[in-house]
């Protein structure tokens, strides 16, 4: 159970870091992606770690599924700043 305790300590550390995460609008994607980025990476790493018991991996997979859908980077879409259309994007008009 030593591995479990270490993983839980890492999770707590990353959760506190993600709450203090500063967002830079010029370099970071939209707010939700930046806010949940560390948690999402942590949960994915736990799900892929075969050294953990399967019930713990399932718990982290469940937590990953409970994160907001729009916090995934794959759902971010570039939009035109003048017309808000998703195609024919003018970043600087």
């Amino acid at each position: 159970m030593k591995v479990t305790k270490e993983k839980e300590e890492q999770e707590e550390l990353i959760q506190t870091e993600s709450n203090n995460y500063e967002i830079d609008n010029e370099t970071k994607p939209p707010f939700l992606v930046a806010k949940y980025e560390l948690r999402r990476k942590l949960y994915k790493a736990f799900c892929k770690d075969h050294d953990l018991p399967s019930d713990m991996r399932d718990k982290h997979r469940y937590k990953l599924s409970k994160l907001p859908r729009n916090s995934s980077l794959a759902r971010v879409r570039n939009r035109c700043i003048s017309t808000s259309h998703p195609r024919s994007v003018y970043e600087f008009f």
Side-chain angles (χ1 to χ4, degrees):
M1 290 303 176
K2 184 178 180 182
V3 175
T4 307
K5 188 173 182 179
E6 290 175 0
K7 296 287 184 178
E8 288 176 0
E9 289 174 358
Q10 288 177 349
E11 180 181 352
E12 290 174 14
L13 176 66
I14 290 191
Q15 195 165 15
T16 56
E17 286 179 5
S18 65
N19 291 340
N20 298 330
Y21 197 71
E22 292 183 19
I23 297 173
D24 182 12
N25 289 334
E26 294 179 6
T27 59
K28 290 292 177 187
F31 179 70
L32 281 177
V33 175
K35 181 179 178 182
Y36 290 102
E37 178 182 19
L38 293 174
R39 285 187 206 167
R40 184 172 287 279
K41 285 182 180 180
L42 175 75
Y43 294 152
K44 282 187 176 184
F46 281 149
C47 291
K48 292 179 182 178
D49 189 5
H50 292 290
D51 294 334
L52 292 176
S54 63
D55 58 335
M56 181 174 257
R57 285 186 306 199
D58 291 340
K59 181 181 83 170
H60 290 295
R61 195 171 294 116
Y62 176 76
K63 286 182 180 181
L64 181 64
S65 71
K66 290 301 175 183
L67 290 178
R69 286 186 178 177
N70 289 335
S71 68
S72 174
L73 187 60
R75 292 178 62 98
V76 175
R77 176 104 188 188
N78 284 343
R79 293 201 169 265
C80 178
I81 59 172
S82 62
T83 61
S84 298
H85 289 275
R87 297 190 180 136
S88 180
V89 176
Y90 293 111
E91 291 184 16
F92 305 104
F93 188 70

